[in-house]
Amino acid sequence: MVHKVAVIGAGPCGLTSVKACLDEGMEPTCFESSDDMGGLWKFKEVSEPNRASIYRSLTINVWKEMMCYSDYPIPADYPNYMHHSKILNYFRMYADHFKLLQYIRFQTKVKSVKQRPDFSRTGQWDVVTETRDGYEENHIFDAIICCTGHFNYPNLPLKDFPGIETFEGKYSHSWDYKGPEDMHGKRVVVIGIGNSGGDIAVEGSRVAEQMYLSTRSGAWVIRQVSDNGLPVDRFNTRFVHIMFRLLPMRFLNWLGEKKLNSMYDHAMYGLKPKHRLFSQIPVINDDLPFRILSGSVIVKPNIKEIRGSTVVFDDGSTAENVDLIVFATGYNYDFPYLPKNAIYKSGHRIGLYKHVFPPILEQPTLAIVGFIHSDGAIMPQAEMQARFVTRVFKGHKKLPSNQAMIKAVENDTKKIAKNYVVSKLTPLQVDFVEHMDDLAKDIGVQPNLLWLFLTDFPLFKKVLWGPVTAYQYRLMGPGKWEGARKAIFTQYDRMYQPLKTRQLNAQQSSTTGFLIKLSLTFMAGGAAIYYIHRNPTTISTLVSKLRPQSV
């Protein structure tokens, strides 16, 4: 029986894994190599080797209601899209509320994790840790949860850029970027049009002499501020998800691309990619189109070669006197502390059953939480994974045979290749709602729409038509939270709250609009009556034209 669990990493995945262990009555010990929680979201002025890094201005591109944990809503007065400092504050509040800090050992690095000699019987692990002072300690744990992420090792593909050794300026990876200070008055090329590349190009273009954004394949760019000024995530509903299952993907791609091109023509802006909209997670950036329109950012194709301070692109065009190149070219991933025989490879990716469990171990006591790439925030997905993992550890959920798990992993790999256009650097690609529902079904917490329709119709409407927030997975089953229903009904209140910074007489505005519409209706009706009165044969003539013509 699993009791003692080692959680590696105290970022958003590690924190919720510690809580999930406590919820199931287990004893977690969380090892964090740095001096603070937060993982990726802990900003530091100098990037630390083998640790995730963010820039000073980073604001999350996921709506706060779609990124929070399922039983702890983000404060109502927090902005809808939060700066990294606010996110870290939220993690601190979460850890304090659920009393998680006492289970975290900071400045303690995990050096190795190995199966014990009797692993096939006990499922136990030997863990070696090292403190900041170099003191090593040996531990025995019943189970391991890895939460070290996949943004730790920058990918710098210099060999793909002939002539880089002749470059006369400076080059770096986006992992090193903290702000645009070094770009003042410079000519800069950013390589890569992911979210980081787009952010850096936009921010740097405000101070650079000229900013170039080089992309090999292009990207679909969507806005965070969507129709009626609402967060774009608000439209990620169960109804929309059902439509994605019923309607042809070709039609959905056409409809979505038409919507995006109505805001700015991606071909005209040089952004149009080779892939369809829903084949890859889009870039989320409200500012990039205007920076392109103003000439501050010039979109260019892939780089053919570099000659001194000149960058030559595939179309033969050049950027002269370039001072700085920023490689926003993604990350490699690794779990250096894990034994090689614990990792299963499916194609070029690590294969995990349900995107969590290695499928080749004799005992299911090792899990990797948060090793996914998705159209949603990692926080609620990691929480759902942790809930699933701890249910397995406690024996409430039994995994299938190794052979069956390997078959499922291979099917997932084929599905990723079929449905998505992803690079070899991308970890396991999942659909947010599909992944959440799949795990929730195994745990026993997936919302039952039919039951809600019959027993709580107002809640049914919120669950079907409203955004798929994590609160939905606390309505029933193990881990049920009594505040879940209220959290769902008040999620829009928390959306509007930070916007109420200038009080307006909304009722007067609404009444005025109604009176204008009513006046226009009366005017149109009066005009019609007047016209008919002056032309009495109008109606009979119209009716005669509607009758079928006889031959």
Side-chain angles (χ1 to χ4, degrees):
M1 178 65 70
V2 171
H3 181 63
K4 294 179 61 179
V5 181
V7 178
I8 306 175
C13 302
L15 290 176
T16 193
S17 294
V18 170
K19 179 183 178 295
C21 289
L22 294 173
D23 289 345
E24 290 293 341
M26 292 182 285
E27 181 185 322
T29 301
C30 180
F31 298 106
E32 169 55 47
S33 61
S34 75
D35 59 357
D36 202 356
M37 69 175 72
L40 170 72
W41 296 100
K42 171 61 177 178
F43 172 77
K44 292 196 173 183
E45 286 290 345
V46 179
S47 301
E48 298 177 351
N50 303 331
R51 293 189 58 81
S53 173
I54 57 176
Y55 33 97
R56 197 174 298 108
S57 62
L58 180 63
T59 296
I60 196 169
N61 57 19
V62 181
W63 178 34
K64 68 176 181 180
E65 291 299 307
M66 292 290 285
M67 64 150 280
C68 66
Y69 297 117
S70 61
D71 52 0
Y72 194 72
I74 291 172
D77 61 340
Y78 271 41
N80 285 283
Y81 291 104
M82 300 191 296
H83 185 257
H84 62 75
S85 59
K86 292 282 188 183
I87 296 173
L88 186 60
N89 284 341
Y90 171 66
F91 292 152
R92 295 194 197 286
M93 290 187 288
Y94 178 79
D96 182 63
H97 180 78
F98 293 108
K99 298 178 172 54
L100 307 181
L101 279 175
Q102 59 187 302
Y103 301 97
I104 304 175
R105 293 179 58 176
F106 292 106
Q107 296 184 316
T108 305
K109 177 183 178 181
V110 173
K111 295 193 68 176
S112 68
V113 174
K114 295 179 181 178
Q115 297 103 318
R116 303 206 76 221
D118 58 356
F119 177 81
S120 60
R121 179 176 59 86
T122 65
Q124 291 183 325
W125 300 83
D126 284 321
V127 177
V128 179
T129 60
E130 182 181 62
T131 65
R132 180 183 61 174
D133 301 324
Y135 174 72
E136 286 193 3
E137 188 175 357
N138 297 305
H139 315 262
I140 298 175
F141 285 99
D142 300 318
I144 309 290
I145 305 178
C146 304
C147 305
T148 49
H150 49 86
F151 295 109
N152 301 331
Y153 306 99
N155 174 55
L156 198 61
L158 298 181
K159 60 181 176 56
D160 295 337
F161 298 89
I164 185 66
E165 71 279 358
T166 71
F167 183 54
E168 297 172 1
K170 296 180 180 179
Y171 64 82
S172 62
H173 192 274
S174 57
W175 178 82
D176 292 301
Y177 179 81
K178 297 299 176 181
E181 295 81 10
D182 294 337
M183 297 182 178
H184 277 270
K186 303 290 181 63
R187 297 174 64 81
V188 185
V189 175
V190 174
I191 302 174
I193 197 173
N195 283 311
S196 294
D199 283 352
I200 293 170
V202 165
E203 186 171 50
S205 70
R206 295 189 173 99
V207 299
E209 177 186 324
Q210 184 60 64
M211 175 66 68
Y212 297 91
L213 180 57
S214 170
T215 171
R216 181 169 49 190
S217 58
W220 295 103
V221 180
I222 67 175
R223 302 181 304 178
Q224 290 165 282
V225 182
S226 189
D227 295 350
N228 300 313
L230 297 177
V232 68
D233 320 52
R234 174 258 176 271
F235 300 98
N236 191 359
T237 67
R238 287 195 177 277
F239 178 77
V240 169
H241 188 68
I242 292 171
M243 291 298 100
F244 266 76
R245 291 189 171 188
L246 298 177
L247 298 176
M249 186 55 66
R250 180 178 299 180
F251 169 74
L252 294 169
N253 277 316
W254 172 83
L255 190 65
E257 291 166 11
K258 182 176 173 58
K259 173 67 173 177
L260 292 184
N261 282 323
S262 70
M263 293 182 281
Y264 32 83
D265 188 317
H266 280 60
M268 183 175 72
Y269 278 63
L271 295 168
K272 186 177 180 180
K274 302 172 183 177
H275 59 266
R276 303 304 302 272
L277 174 58
F278 296 112
S279 297
Q280 192 176 86
I281 296 173
V283 172
I284 303 176
N285 198 307
D286 291 51
D287 298 328
L288 181 59
F290 174 72
R291 305 309 295 180
I292 296 172
L293 194 62
S294 67
S296 303
V297 174
I298 297 176
V299 180
K300 304 297 288 185
N302 194 40
I303 292 175
K304 180 180 179 181
E305 63 176 322
I306 298 168
R307 303 173 189 159
S309 62
T310 299
V311 174
V312 182
F313 300 100
D314 278 348
D315 61 359
S317 63
T318 62
E320 307 285 346
N321 303 316
V322 173
D323 302 292
L324 179 64
I325 297 176
V326 179
F327 288 85
T329 45
Y331 293 83
N332 296 303
Y333 49 80
D334 192 17
F335 300 92
Y337 48 83
L338 289 180
K340 299 300 181 184
N341 63 357
I343 301 298
Y344 175 78
K345 280 293 189 75
S346 178
H348 54 262
R349 288 185 178 82
I350 292 177
L352 298 172
Y353 177 69
K354 297 284 184 179
H355 308 299
V356 177
F357 283 100
I360 55 176
L361 296 177
E362 297 171 280
Q363 297 285 348
T365 55
L366 171 66
I368 299 177
V369 167
F371 189 68
I372 53 174
H373 194 222
S374 165
D375 56 339
I378 191 61
M379 296 78 170
Q381 293 178 98
E383 179 188 42
M384 189 64 72
Q385 289 181 339
R387 293 172 70 184
F388 174 64
V389 165
T390 52
R391 297 289 290 177
V392 172
F393 285 173
K394 287 295 287 185
H396 299 307
K397 174 67 180 177
K398 183 174 175 60
L399 297 184
S401 67
N402 291 84
Q403 186 177 2
M405 287 194 288
I406 290 173
K407 184 178 180 180
V409 167
E410 295 300 331
N411 287 336
D412 285 339
T413 299
K414 293 176 183 177
K415 183 178 179 181
I416 291 173
K418 178 183 177 182
N419 295 335
Y420 300 103
V421 176
V422 291
S423 76
K424 292 183 178 182
L425 301 178
T426 306
L428 303 174
Q429 185 82 30
V430 300
D431 174 83
F432 176 77
V433 177
E434 184 178 330
H435 184 51
M436 293 283 281
D437 277 353
D438 182 46
L439 294 174
K441 184 177 180 181
D442 284 335
I443 301 169
V445 296
Q446 184 180 13
N448 188 323
L449 291 177
L450 178 60
W451 176 254
L452 292 176
F453 177 81
L454 296 174
T455 62
D456 194 339
F457 188 68
L459 180 58
F460 164 79
K461 291 191 295 182
K462 295 286 186 182
V463 171
L464 178 64
W465 297 101
V468 187
T469 47
Y471 317 127
Q472 296 186 8
Y473 301 99
R474 292 285 182 180
L475 290 169
M476 54 190 69
K480 178 181 178 180
W481 176 45
E482 294 302 325
R485 187 180 189 277
K486 181 180 179 182
I488 292 172
F489 274 84
T490 56
Q491 56 197 6
Y492 286 133
D493 295 337
R494 289 187 295 279
M495 180 185 76
Y496 289 121
Q497 181 63 36
L499 301 175
K500 295 179 179 179
T501 57
R502 175 173 173 251
Q503 295 300 318
L504 300 174
N505 191 340
Q507 183 62 37
Q508 182 179 359
S509 174
S510 176
T511 303
T512 302
F514 172 76
L515 291 176
I516 291 174
K517 292 177 182 178
L518 188 63
S519 300
L520 291 173
T521 302
F522 277 123
M523 289 172 63
I529 294 172
Y530 176 76
Y531 180 80
I532 294 172
H533 176 72
R534 295 292 301 270
N535 300 276
T537 60
T538 299
I539 295 180
S540 58
T541 303
L542 181 62
V543 171
S544 66
K545 289 182 178 180
L546 294 175
R547 291 173 180 167
Q549 300 294 318
S550 58
V551 179

